[in-house]
Amino acid sequence: MSFDKHILITGGAGFIGSHVVRRMLIQYPNYLVVNLDALTYAGNLENLRDMEDLPNYRFVKGNICDAALVTTLFEENQIDTVIHLAAESHVDRSITDPLAFVQTNVMGTATLLNAARQYWGGDYAGKLFYHVSTDEVYGSLGETGFFYEDTAYDPRSPYSASKAGSDHLVMAFFHTYHLPVIISNCSNNYGPNHFPEKLIPLSIHNILQKKPLPIYGKGENVRDWLYVIDHASAIDTILHRGKIGETYNIGGHNEWTNIDLIRLLCRLMDEKLGQDTGSSEQLITYVKDRAGHDLRYAIDATKLKDELGWVPSVTFEEGLSRTIDWYLANPEWLAHVTSGDYLNYYEAQYSRR
Ligand code: NAD
Ligand code: DAU
């Protein structure tokens, strides 16, 4: 079978990666998709169960830091495009185990870049290394202002510093070797398949379990939320129409303080569960703040809109409602990922507070 593109997607068994794999397989049956994922605690093949038998899909369990494996995958699959999402992604975990973040996010990205450079050997026609990054590299905003593509990097957690390091390596390979690269920096995602260590799925899970909803500090920190399926559509747009060497911010102009967001979530959950209004809110519990907690993130995505015509497809209420519906319809998914190691993590993370 011949394919129009041979894409290596890293981290495709994770939250965002699985939506990107799904989108590529459905929209482009003429593309080969090779999904390389180490299946850490955050990787879950259940996310792609219905895609497994497609003739243009291959899954490989492996580590992006394994240079020999990565090189073999380029050669065996004639990879011409990389969409790199594999990462350690949770800020709280980076505070307890920073070196794991440096290893995967910095060394893993360097390994992939080097393999692409060597395999493509300077013949860059039709090639692309697309690096998926975060708005956290820009640091923390005050009460006003936005992150633009030319905002200076100012990462403040081991997670964001390791992602900033990976972004710098990507641009270094562009400037030094002319490797064809694109970076996108996206705001907070939410949606189906989100691992319940992050605020929204953790809160959905805890409401279902009638457990406390831990709010760090005063709940006044602001995040800018985007539905994961819209992130996947933005990646698709940038992959096909973005300019080599450029960075694109992705976001939906959708800022919420954590406490307002959790109140909205509680209201929607009460409605959907047929509970008295206010039942879920009673679970809100203020806990010790995250160390170095960034105050506010807010993305300006005008470049993506003006140059490539991308805008989000759903409002926040609609996306959040769909997300809750997905969790209510998939109790086994939640049960599977909240057993085993997750319980140890949860105990360690929240018992100290
Ligand atoms: P995730 O933690 O849900 O998934 C990460 C995936 O990478 C998992 O499947 C895991 O098994 C895999 N992985 C981890 N280490 C690996 C390694 N060494 N080798 C191979 N695979 C490995 O993360 P996510 O939330 O889906 O984020 C995906 C990417 O998007 C990350 O690069 C993250 O920095 C970025 N991002 C995330 C958000 C967000 O809100 N979640 C926002 C902007 C950007
Ligand atoms: O901005 C993009 C980033 O968004 C991504 O790069 C990261 O991979 C992703 O994890 C996310 O980082 P955050 O730290 O913003 O997400 P998290 O869901 O962990 O926290 C969202 C906010 O909620 C943050 O202000 C911390 C707060 N919070 C979080 C948890 C887990 C709580 O108040 N209580 C909690 O229990």
Side-chain angles (χ1 to χ4, degrees), residues 10-18 35-44 47 60-66 84-90 100 103-105 108 131-136 159 163 166 184-190 193-195 197-198 225-226 228 231 235 250:
T10 69
F15 166 47
I16 302 170
S18 61
N35 175 8
L36 171 62
D37 196 297
L39 297 182
T40 68
Y41 77 92
N44 186 349
N47 294 345
V60 178
K61 181 177 185 306
N63 198 309
I64 56 167
C65 300
D66 181 343
H84 174 35
L85 297 109
E88 288 293 341
S89 70
H90 190 37
Q103 182 62 25
T104 284
N105 300 357
H131 178 59
V132 176
S133 193
T134 171
D135 61 356
E136 299 200 13
Y159 163 68
K163 289 296 291 187
S166 68
S184 58
N185 296 85
C186 188
S187 61
N188 283 64
N189 284 215
Y190 69 97
N193 308 95
H194 204 182
F195 192 81
E197 64 186 353
K198 310 277 169 71
W225 294 93
L226 183 71
V228 65
H231 189 185
I235 289 174
I250 307 174

Coordinates of all heavy atoms in Angstrom, one line a residue, residues 10-18 35-44 47 60-66 84-90 100 103-105 108 131-136 159 163 166 184-190 193-195 197-198 225-226 228 231 235 250, ligand 1:
T10 N 4.4 11.0 18.1 CA 4.9 10.6 19.4 C 3.9 10.9 20.5 O 3.2 12.0 20.4 CB 6.2 11.2 19.8 OG1 6.1 12.6 20.0 CG2 7.3 11.0 18.7
G11 N 3.7 10.1 21.5 CA 2.8 10.3 22.6 C 1.3 10.2 22.2 O 0.4 10.8 22.8
G12 N 1.1 9.4 21.1 CA -0.2 9.3 20.6 C -1.2 8.5 21.4 O -2.4 8.4 21.1
A13 N -0.7 7.9 22.5 CA -1.7 7.2 23.4 C -2.1 8.0 24.6 O -2.9 7.6 25.4 CB -1.0 5.9 23.9
G14 N -1.6 9.3 24.6 CA -1.9 10.2 25.7 C -3.2 11.0 25.3 O -3.9 10.7 24.4
F15 N -3.5 12.0 26.1 CA -4.7 12.8 26.0 C -4.8 13.4 24.7 O -5.6 13.1 23.8 CB -4.8 13.8 27.2 CG -5.8 14.8 27.1 CD1 -7.1 14.6 26.8 CD2 -5.4 16.2 27.4 CE1 -8.0 15.6 26.7 CE2 -6.3 17.2 27.3 CZ -7.6 16.9 27.0
I16 N -4.0 14.4 24.4 CA -4.1 15.2 23.1 C -3.6 14.3 22.0 O -4.2 14.3 20.9 CB -3.2 16.5 23.2 CG1 -3.7 17.3 24.4 CG2 -3.3 17.2 21.9 CD1 -2.8 18.5 24.7
G17 N -2.5 13.5 22.2 CA -2.0 12.7 21.1 C -3.0 11.8 20.6 O -3.1 11.6 19.3
S18 N -3.9 11.2 21.4 CA -4.9 10.2 20.9 C -5.9 10.9 20.0 O -6.4 10.4 19.0 CB -5.5 9.5 22.0 OG -6.2 10.3 22.9
N35 N 2.4 5.4 15.6 CA 2.3 6.0 16.9 C 3.3 5.4 17.9 O 3.2 4.3 18.2 CB 0.8 5.7 17.4 CG 0.6 6.2 18.9 OD1 1.4 6.9 19.5 ND2 -0.6 5.8 19.4
L36 N 4.3 6.3 18.2 CA 5.3 5.8 19.2 C 5.0 6.3 20.6 O 5.0 7.6 20.8 CB 6.7 6.3 18.7 CG 7.9 6.1 19.7 CD1 8.1 4.6 20.0 CD2 9.1 6.8 19.2
D37 N 4.8 5.4 21.5 CA 4.4 5.9 22.9 C 5.0 4.8 23.9 O 4.9 3.6 23.7 CB 2.9 5.9 23.0 CG 2.5 6.7 24.2 OD1 2.8 6.3 25.3 OD2 1.8 7.7 24.0
A38 N 5.6 5.4 24.9 CA 6.2 4.5 26.0 C 5.1 3.9 26.9 O 5.5 3.1 27.7 CB 7.2 5.3 26.8
L39 N 3.9 4.4 26.8 CA 2.8 3.9 27.7 C 3.2 4.1 29.1 O 3.3 3.1 29.9 CB 2.4 2.4 27.4 CG 1.8 2.2 26.0 CD1 1.4 0.7 25.8 CD2 0.6 3.1 25.7
T40 N 3.6 5.3 29.5 CA 3.8 5.7 30.9 C 2.4 5.6 31.5 O 1.4 5.3 30.9 CB 4.3 7.1 31.0 OG1 3.3 8.0 30.6 CG2 5.6 7.3 30.2
Y41 N 2.3 6.1 32.8 CA 1.0 6.1 33.5 C 0.0 6.9 32.6 O -1.2 6.6 32.7 CB 1.1 6.7 34.9 CG 1.2 8.2 34.8 CD1 0.1 9.0 34.9 CD2 2.5 8.9 34.5 CE1 0.2 10.4 34.7 CE2 2.6 10.2 34.4 CZ 1.4 11.0 34.5 OH 1.5 12.4 34.3
A42 N 0.4 7.8 31.8 CA -0.5 8.7 31.1 C -0.9 8.2 29.7 O -1.8 8.7 29.1 CB 0.2 10.1 30.9
G43 N -0.2 7.1 29.3 CA -0.5 6.6 28.0 C -1.5 5.4 28.1 O -1.4 4.6 29.0
N44 N -2.5 5.4 27.2 CA -3.6 4.4 27.4 C -4.1 4.0 26.1 O -4.7 4.8 25.3 CB -4.7 5.2 28.2 CG -5.8 4.2 28.6 OD1 -5.9 3.1 28.1 ND2 -6.7 4.7 29.5
N47 N -7.7 4.5 24.6 CA -8.1 5.8 23.9 C -8.2 5.6 22.4 O -8.9 6.4 21.8 CB -7.0 6.9 24.1 CG -6.9 7.3 25.6 OD1 -7.8 7.0 26.4 ND2 -5.8 8.0 25.9
V60 N 3.7 1.5 18.1 CA 4.9 0.9 18.6 C 5.1 1.4 20.1 O 5.1 2.6 20.3 CB 6.1 1.5 17.8 CG1 7.4 0.9 18.3 CG2 5.9 1.1 16.3
K61 N 5.3 0.4 21.0 CA 5.6 0.8 22.3 C 7.1 1.0 22.5 O 7.9 0.1 22.2 CB 5.2 -0.3 23.3 CG 5.4 0.0 24.8 CD 4.9 -1.2 25.6 CE 4.9 -0.9 27.1 NZ 6.2 -0.5 27.7
G62 N 7.5 2.2 22.8 CA 8.9 2.5 22.9 C 9.1 4.0 23.4 O 8.2 4.8 23.4
N63 N 10.4 4.2 23.8 CA 10.7 5.5 24.4 C 11.4 6.4 23.3 O 12.3 6.0 22.6 CB 11.7 5.2 25.5 CG 11.8 6.3 26.5 OD1 12.0 7.5 26.1 ND2 11.7 6.0 27.7
I64 N 11.0 7.7 23.3 CA 11.6 8.6 22.4 C 13.0 8.9 22.7 O 13.7 9.5 21.8 CB 10.8 10.0 22.3 CG1 10.7 10.6 23.7 CG2 9.4 9.8 21.7 CD1 10.2 12.1 23.7
C65 N 13.5 8.5 23.9 CA 14.9 8.7 24.2 C 15.8 7.6 23.6 O 17.0 7.6 23.6 CB 15.2 8.8 25.7 SG 14.3 10.1 26.5
D66 N 15.2 6.5 23.0 CA 15.9 5.4 22.5 C 16.3 5.7 21.0 O 15.5 5.4 20.1 CB 14.9 4.2 22.6 CG 15.6 2.9 22.1 OD1 16.6 2.9 21.4 OD2 15.0 1.8 22.4
H84 N 5.2 15.7 17.2 CA 5.9 15.3 18.4 C 5.1 15.9 19.6 O 5.1 17.1 19.9 CB 7.3 15.9 18.5 CG 8.0 15.7 19.8 ND1 7.8 14.5 20.5 CD2 8.9 16.5 20.4 CE1 8.6 14.6 21.6 NE2 9.2 15.8 21.6
L85 N 4.4 14.9 20.3 CA 3.6 15.3 21.5 C 4.1 14.6 22.8 O 3.7 15.0 23.9 CB 2.1 14.9 21.3 CG 1.3 15.6 20.2 CD1 1.1 14.6 19.1 CD2 0.1 16.2 20.7
A86 N 4.9 13.5 22.6 CA 5.3 12.8 23.8 C 6.0 13.7 24.8 O 6.9 14.4 24.5 CB 6.2 11.6 23.5
A87 N 5.5 13.6 26.1 CA 6.1 14.5 27.1 C 5.6 14.0 28.4 O 4.6 13.3 28.6 CB 5.7 16.0 26.9
E88 N 6.4 14.4 29.5 CA 5.8 14.4 30.8 C 5.1 15.7 30.9 O 5.7 16.8 30.6 CB 7.0 14.3 31.9 CG 7.6 13.0 32.0 CD 6.7 11.9 32.5 OE1 5.7 12.2 33.1 OE2 7.0 10.7 32.3
S89 N 3.8 15.7 31.3 CA 3.0 16.9 31.1 C 2.4 17.5 32.3 O 1.7 18.5 32.2 CB 1.8 16.5 30.1 OG 0.9 15.6 30.8
H90 N 2.6 16.9 33.5 CA 1.8 17.4 34.7 C 2.8 18.2 35.6 O 3.7 17.7 36.1 CB 1.2 16.2 35.4 CG 0.2 16.7 36.5 ND1 -0.6 17.8 36.3 CD2 0.0 16.2 37.7 CE1 -1.3 18.0 37.4 NE2 -1.0 17.0 38.3
A100 N 12.8 13.5 35.6 CA 12.0 12.7 34.6 C 11.6 13.7 33.4 O 11.5 13.3 32.3 CB 10.8 12.1 35.2
Q103 N 14.6 14.5 31.2 CA 14.9 13.3 30.4 C 14.0 13.2 29.2 O 14.4 13.2 28.0 CB 14.8 12.1 31.3 CG 15.2 10.8 30.6 CD 16.6 10.8 30.1 OE1 17.5 11.5 30.6 NE2 16.9 10.0 29.0
T104 N 12.7 13.2 29.4 CA 11.8 13.0 28.3 C 11.6 14.2 27.4 O 11.8 14.2 26.2 CB 10.4 12.5 28.8 OG1 10.5 11.1 29.1 CG2 9.3 12.6 27.7
N105 N 11.4 15.4 28.1 CA 11.0 16.5 27.3 C 12.2 17.2 26.6 O 12.1 17.6 25.4 CB 10.4 17.6 28.2 CG 9.1 17.0 28.8 OD1 8.7 15.9 28.5 ND2 8.4 17.8 29.7
G108 N 14.5 13.6 25.0 CA 13.7 12.9 24.1 C 13.5 13.7 22.8 O 13.6 13.2 21.7
H131 N 6.5 20.3 16.3 CA 6.6 20.2 17.7 C 5.5 20.8 18.5 O 5.2 22.0 18.3 CB 8.0 20.9 18.1 CG 8.2 20.8 19.6 ND1 8.4 19.7 20.3 CD2 8.5 21.8 20.5 CE1 8.6 20.0 21.6 NE2 8.7 21.3 21.7
V132 N 4.8 20.0 19.3 CA 3.6 20.5 20.0 C 4.1 21.0 21.4 O 4.6 20.2 22.2 CB 2.6 19.4 20.2 CG1 1.4 19.9 21.0 CG2 2.1 18.9 18.8
S133 N 3.9 22.3 21.6 CA 4.3 22.8 22.9 C 3.2 23.6 23.6 O 2.0 23.5 23.2 CB 5.6 23.7 22.7 OG 6.2 24.0 24.0
T134 N 3.6 24.3 24.7 CA 2.6 24.9 25.6 C 2.8 26.4 25.8 O 3.9 26.9 25.6 CB 2.8 24.2 27.0 OG1 2.0 24.8 28.0 CG2 4.3 24.2 27.4
D135 N 1.7 27.0 26.2 CA 1.8 28.4 26.5 C 2.6 28.7 27.8 O 3.0 29.8 28.1 CB 0.4 29.1 26.7 CG -0.4 28.5 27.7 OD1 0.0 27.5 28.4 OD2 -1.6 29.0 27.9
E136 N 2.8 27.6 28.6 CA 3.5 27.8 29.9 C 5.0 28.3 29.7 O 5.6 28.8 30.7 CB 3.5 26.5 30.8 CG 2.1 26.1 31.1 CD 2.0 25.2 32.3 OE1 2.9 25.0 33.0 OE2 0.9 24.6 32.5
Y159 N 8.5 21.6 34.7 CA 7.7 21.2 33.4 C 7.9 22.3 32.3 O 8.4 21.9 31.2 CB 6.2 21.0 33.7 CG 5.4 21.0 32.4 CD1 5.5 19.9 31.5 CD2 4.5 22.0 32.1 CE1 4.8 19.9 30.3 CE2 3.8 22.0 31.0 CZ 3.9 21.0 30.1 OH 3.2 21.0 28.9
K163 N 9.9 22.1 28.7 CA 9.3 22.3 27.4 C 10.0 23.5 26.7 O 10.1 23.5 25.5 CB 7.8 22.7 27.6 CG 6.9 21.5 28.0 CD 6.9 20.3 27.0 CE 6.1 20.7 25.7 NZ 5.9 19.5 24.9
S166 N 13.0 22.2 25.1 CA 12.7 21.5 23.9 C 12.4 22.4 22.7 O 12.8 22.2 21.6 CB 11.5 20.5 24.1 OG 10.3 21.1 24.3
S184 N 3.9 24.8 17.8 CA 2.7 25.5 18.2 C 2.7 25.5 19.8 O 3.1 24.5 20.4 CB 1.4 24.9 17.7 OG 1.3 23.6 18.0
N185 N 2.2 26.6 20.3 CA 2.1 26.7 21.8 C 0.7 26.9 22.2 O 0.1 27.9 21.8 CB 3.0 27.9 22.3 CG 4.4 27.7 22.0 OD1 4.9 28.0 20.9 ND2 5.2 27.2 23.0
C186 N 0.1 25.9 22.8 CA -1.3 25.9 23.1 C -1.6 26.2 24.6 O -0.8 25.9 25.5 CB -1.9 24.6 22.7 SG -3.7 24.6 22.7
S187 N -2.8 26.7 24.8 CA -3.3 26.9 26.2 C -3.8 25.6 26.8 O -3.8 24.6 26.1 CB -4.4 28.0 26.2 OG -5.4 27.6 25.4
N188 N -4.4 25.7 28.0 CA -4.9 24.5 28.7 C -6.0 23.8 27.9 O -7.0 24.4 27.5 CB -5.6 24.9 30.0 CG -4.5 25.2 31.1 OD1 -3.8 26.1 30.9 ND2 -4.5 24.4 32.1
N189 N -5.8 22.5 27.7 CA -6.8 21.7 27.0 C -7.7 21.0 28.0 O -7.4 20.7 29.1 CB -6.1 20.5 26.2 CG -5.5 21.0 24.9 OD1 -5.5 20.3 23.9 ND2 -5.0 22.2 24.9
Y190 N -9.0 20.6 27.5 CA -9.9 19.8 28.3 C -10.7 19.0 27.3 O -10.7 19.3 26.1 CB -10.8 20.6 29.2 CG -11.8 21.4 28.4 CD1 -13.1 21.0 28.2 CD2 -11.4 22.6 27.8 CE1 -14.0 21.6 27.4 CE2 -12.3 23.3 27.0 CZ -13.6 22.8 26.8 OH -14.5 23.5 26.0
N193 N -11.0 11.7 27.5 CA -9.7 11.0 27.6 C -8.6 11.8 28.4 O -7.5 11.4 28.4 CB -9.1 10.6 26.3 CG -10.0 9.9 25.4 OD1 -10.7 10.5 24.5 ND2 -10.1 8.6 25.5
H194 N -9.0 12.8 29.1 CA -8.1 13.6 29.9 C -7.8 12.9 31.2 O -8.7 12.6 32.0 CB -8.7 15.0 30.2 CG -7.8 16.1 30.5 ND1 -8.2 17.3 30.8 CD2 -6.4 16.1 30.5 CE1 -7.1 18.1 31.0 NE2 -6.1 17.4 30.8
F195 N -6.5 12.7 31.5 CA -6.2 11.9 32.7 C -6.5 12.6 34.0 O -6.2 13.8 34.1 CB -4.6 11.6 32.7 CG -4.2 10.6 33.7 CD1 -4.4 9.2 33.4 CD2 -3.7 11.0 34.9 CE1 -4.0 8.3 34.3 CE2 -3.4 10.0 35.9 CZ -3.5 8.7 35.6
E197 N -5.6 13.5 36.7 CA -4.7 14.2 37.7 C -4.8 15.7 37.4 O -4.4 16.5 38.2 CB -3.2 13.8 37.4 CG -2.7 14.2 36.1 CD -1.4 13.6 35.7 OE1 -0.7 13.0 36.6 OE2 -0.9 13.8 34.5
K198 N -5.4 16.1 36.3 CA -5.5 17.5 35.9 C -6.9 18.0 36.4 O -7.8 17.3 36.6 CB -5.4 17.6 34.3 CG -4.2 16.9 33.7 CD -3.0 17.7 33.8 CE -1.7 16.9 33.4 NZ -1.6 16.6 32.0
W225 N -8.9 28.0 28.5 CA -9.2 26.6 28.2 C -9.7 26.4 26.8 O -10.5 27.2 26.2 CB -10.3 26.1 29.2 CG -9.9 26.1 30.6 CD1 -10.0 27.0 31.5 CD2 -9.2 25.0 31.2 NE1 -9.4 26.6 32.7 CE2 -8.9 25.4 32.5 CE3 -8.7 23.7 30.8 CZ2 -8.2 24.6 33.5 CZ3 -8.1 22.9 31.7 CH2 -7.8 23.3 33.0
L226 N -9.2 25.3 26.2 CA -9.5 25.0 24.8 C -9.9 23.5 24.7 O -9.3 22.6 25.3 CB -8.3 25.2 23.9 CG -8.5 25.0 22.4 CD1 -9.4 26.0 21.8 CD2 -7.2 24.9 21.6
V228 N -10.1 19.9 23.5 CA -9.0 19.1 22.8 C -9.3 18.9 21.4 O -8.3 18.8 20.6 CB -8.7 17.8 23.6 CG1 -9.9 16.9 23.6 CG2 -7.5 17.2 23.2
H231 N -8.0 21.7 19.5 CA -6.6 21.7 19.5 C -6.1 20.8 18.3 O -5.2 21.1 17.5 CB -5.9 21.2 20.8 CG -4.5 21.4 20.9 ND1 -3.7 20.9 21.9 CD2 -3.5 21.9 20.0 CE1 -2.4 21.2 21.7 NE2 -2.3 21.8 20.6
I235 N -3.9 21.8 15.0 CA -2.6 21.1 14.6 C -2.7 20.6 13.2 O -1.8 20.8 12.4 CB -2.4 19.9 15.6 CG1 -2.0 20.4 17.0 CG2 -1.3 18.9 15.0 CD1 -1.8 19.3 18.0
I250 N -2.0 28.8 20.0 CA -3.3 28.2 19.8 C -4.1 28.5 21.1 O -3.6 28.1 22.2 CB -3.3 26.7 19.5 CG1 -2.3 26.4 18.4 CG2 -4.7 26.1 19.3 CD1 -2.1 24.8 18.1
Ligands
NAD1 P1 -0.3 13.3 28.4 O1 0.5 13.2 29.7 O2 -1.7 13.0 28.5 O3 0.3 12.2 27.4 C1 1.7 12.1 27.1 C2 2.0 10.9 26.3 O4 3.4 10.8 26.1 C3 1.6 9.6 27.1 O5 0.9 8.7 26.2 C4 2.9 9.0 27.5 O6 2.8 7.6 27.6 C5 3.8 9.4 26.4 N1 5.2 9.5 26.8 C6 5.7 10.1 28.0 N2 7.0 9.9 28.0 C7 7.4 9.3 26.9 C8 8.6 8.8 26.4 N3 9.8 9.1 27.0 N4 8.6 8.2 25.2 C9 7.5 7.9 24.5 N5 6.3 8.3 25.0 C10 6.2 9.0 26.2 O7 0.0 14.7 27.8 P2 -1.0 15.6 27.0 O8 -1.7 16.5 27.9 O9 -1.7 14.8 26.0 O10 0.1 16.6 26.3 C11 0.6 16.2 25.0 C12 1.6 17.3 24.5 O11 0.9 18.5 24.4 C13 2.7 17.5 25.5 O12 3.9 17.8 24.8 C14 2.3 18.8 26.3 O13 3.4 19.5 26.7 C15 1.5 19.5 25.2 N6 0.5 20.4 25.7 C16 -0.5 19.9 26.6 C17 -1.5 20.8 27.0 C18 -2.6 20.3 28.0 O14 -3.4 21.2 28.4 N7 -2.7 19.1 28.3 C19 -1.6 22.1 26.5 C20 -0.6 22.5 25.6 C21 0.4 21.7 25.2

